Amino acid sequence: MQRYAFLDSLRGIAILGVVMTHVGQSVAGLPPYFAAFTHFGLRGVQLFFMVSALTLCLVAREDNFNPIQFYLRRFFRVAPMFYLAAIFYLLCPKLFGISFASNEVWAVDAITTFLFVHGFNPHGINNVVPGGWSIASEAIFYAIFPWIVLSLALSRRWVILTVLSFAVAFANAAIPSVLNIVDASWRDFFHFNFLTNAPSFATGILLFLALKRVGPKSENSRVAMIGSALVVSSAIAVSFLSDVLPGAQLFMVPALGGVTFVAARYEWPILVNRFLSFFGETSFSIYLVHFGVLHWLIAVAPVIGSSAGQFVILYVFTLIISAFIGIICYKCVERPMVKIGRRIGDRVAECEGARKKVMAPPTVR
């Protein structure tokens, strides 16, 4: 599969933001504006969803798309590392006396997580693997992607579907407040479930259609610089709404879509570079392991200086250690499993093609 530098860089931005948020949540006493900025990093998950949708659309071909091949490749891309993380976090209470779950982990939580259907389980959507709610939304998106491939040519339909996804997401995010739901599991469920995240995926598909229409990337560096600066500034400005309005994270989706479009169209070095691409290439493993790394650092690191200083030290070391482990996981687990999935998927596609060829009626001459 062809690699796009801007996609890896966007994933790098996303994982840097996610780690920043979790480090910020772990440091007490941060100045209000500093804390708000670290909270902005949580929008990196939305960026992950957007980039995921755009990536799959870029590599999918409607004329020879094979759903079974697609599912096999996605399974071997996600499942091996995710299962290792799930086993590790499930064993943490017994091995280290540490629990990363917000509630008691029920058997159904573990079962639905390993089956990738925990997105429908309010108690277990984020209870086995920290951050596992995002994998739940990805799994639902993968499930419907074959239908998406068949409808990619219908641009107007996707404009309408994207608008509808925003309306549904806002309604879904407002349910806890409207119904006065106080149970933490249910409140988290409405915040994390697929309906709330659907606009990010839909926007990624719209970006694919837009980029396809405008053609190859532009070499106009001045436009790139001005456009990137405006879009990034708007994204940061909108981020401060996150603590003011319910569902305000949805306001970030168009801003993140602008960042993604600028990165794809102009490849401005501030948005697309080797540093970001390095973190983007190993972002999946970093995402899964950084929770454990952060917890360990908090336990062993001495408290020194101001809260802002503590944040910087904790953030840097969490990134370094998580990236080191992420590289090992990427080379020893992710990449080999991806190759196996590709071989199995290609073999299945070949067998399916041969079967269709044999079953095809003879040509009448």
Side-chain angles (χ1 to χ4, degrees):
M1 184 179 74
Q2 179 182 355
R3 295 200 73 92
Y4 295 85
F6 77 90
L7 293 175
D8 278 335
S9 289
L10 289 170
R11 292 189 191 98
I13 294 172
I15 194 60
L16 291 177
V18 170
V19 175
M20 179 178 69
T21 292
H22 294 142
V23 173
Q25 292 172 345
S26 303
V27 177
L30 286 174
Y33 287 104
F34 199 152
F37 179 74
T38 63
H39 185 67
F40 165 58
L42 192 59
R43 306 284 74 82
V45 180
Q46 294 171 295
L47 184 56
F48 271 129
F49 292 151
M50 199 174 296
V51 171
S52 177
L54 176 57
T55 302
L56 293 181
C57 289
L58 283 170
V59 300
R61 291 181 56 186
E62 185 179 349
D63 57 343
N64 67 347
F65 183 82
N66 186 303
I68 298 177
Q69 180 187 35
F70 169 77
Y71 289 136
L72 283 169
R73 288 189 173 191
R74 287 292 92 193
F75 180 84
F76 280 92
R77 173 67 184 89
V78 175
M81 193 62 211
F82 183 68
Y83 285 165
L84 285 177
I87 293 169
F88 171 78
Y89 288 115
L90 284 171
L91 292 177
C92 271
K94 294 184 177 180
L95 296 178
F96 309 110
I98 305 168
S99 177
F100 288 86
S102 56
N103 302 299
E104 178 187 358
V105 179
W106 298 342
V108 68
D109 297 342
I111 293 171
T112 54
T113 297
F114 277 86
L115 293 176
F116 291 102
V117 293
H118 53 302
F120 302 100
N121 176 10
H123 188 272
I125 191 172
N126 200 45
N127 213 31
V128 175
V129 178
W133 64 272
S134 63
I135 311 301
S137 288
E138 287 276 3
I140 295 174
F141 180 71
Y142 295 159
I144 64 175
F145 187 72
W147 170 81
I148 292 172
V149 172
L150 296 176
S151 61
L152 281 178
L154 306 174
S155 302
R156 291 183 179 179
R157 172 188 290 185
W158 276 107
V159 172
I160 297 173
L161 287 175
T162 302
V163 173
L164 287 176
S165 73
F166 274 93
V168 171
F170 275 112
N172 181 70
I175 287 176
S177 299
V178 173
L179 299 182
N180 196 26
I181 296 175
V182 295
D183 183 89
S185 296
W186 277 98
R187 293 187 70 88
D188 287 345
F189 175 73
F190 285 107
H191 180 71
F192 289 142
N193 68 23
F194 177 75
L195 293 179
T196 301
N197 299 309
S200 298
F201 292 108
T203 301
I205 297 169
L206 275 187
L207 284 169
F208 164 75
L209 296 173
L211 290 168
K212 186 177 179 181
R213 176 165 294 188
V214 299
K217 67 178 183 179
S218 172
E219 302 295 336
N220 193 328
S221 58
R222 179 175 295 181
V223 172
M225 184 179 300
I226 296 173
S228 299
L230 288 174
V231 168
V232 173
S233 299
S234 300
I236 295 175
V238 174
S239 71
F240 289 101
L241 291 171
S242 297
D243 296 329
V244 179
L245 298 173
Q249 70 271 16
L250 295 171
F251 289 114
M252 279 301 303
V253 176
L256 292 173
V259 172
T260 303
F261 182 85
V262 168
R265 178 72 170 148
Y266 302 108
E267 295 194 355
W268 193 29
I270 290 180
L271 294 176
V272 182
N273 55 65
R274 291 184 179 180
F275 174 80
L276 293 174
S277 292
F278 163 76
F279 283 99
E281 192 172 6
T282 55
S283 58
F284 184 53
S285 288
I286 293 175
Y287 180 77
L288 292 174
V289 306
H290 84 273
F291 296 96
V293 171
L294 177 58
H295 188 280
W296 174 77
L297 282 172
I298 292 172
V300 301
V303 177
I304 302 175
S306 65
S307 58
Q310 295 171 31
F311 168 84
V312 172
I313 294 172
L314 199 57
Y315 183 51
V316 170
F317 278 95
T318 300
L319 279 177
I320 292 174
I321 298 173
S322 298
F324 177 75
I325 299 173
I327 293 172
I328 296 174
C329 293
Y330 177 73
K331 291 186 176 180
C332 298
V333 180
E334 286 190 66
R335 195 157 61 181
M337 290 296 102
V338 167
K339 291 181 179 178
I340 291 174
R342 186 177 296 124
R343 286 200 296 268
I344 295 175
D346 290 347
R347 181 58 179 165
V348 168
E350 290 175 5
C351 293
E352 182 71 12
R355 184 184 67 83
K356 290 181 178 180
K357 188 174 182 179
V358 170
M359 295 179 64
T363 304
V364 179
R365 295 183 178 180

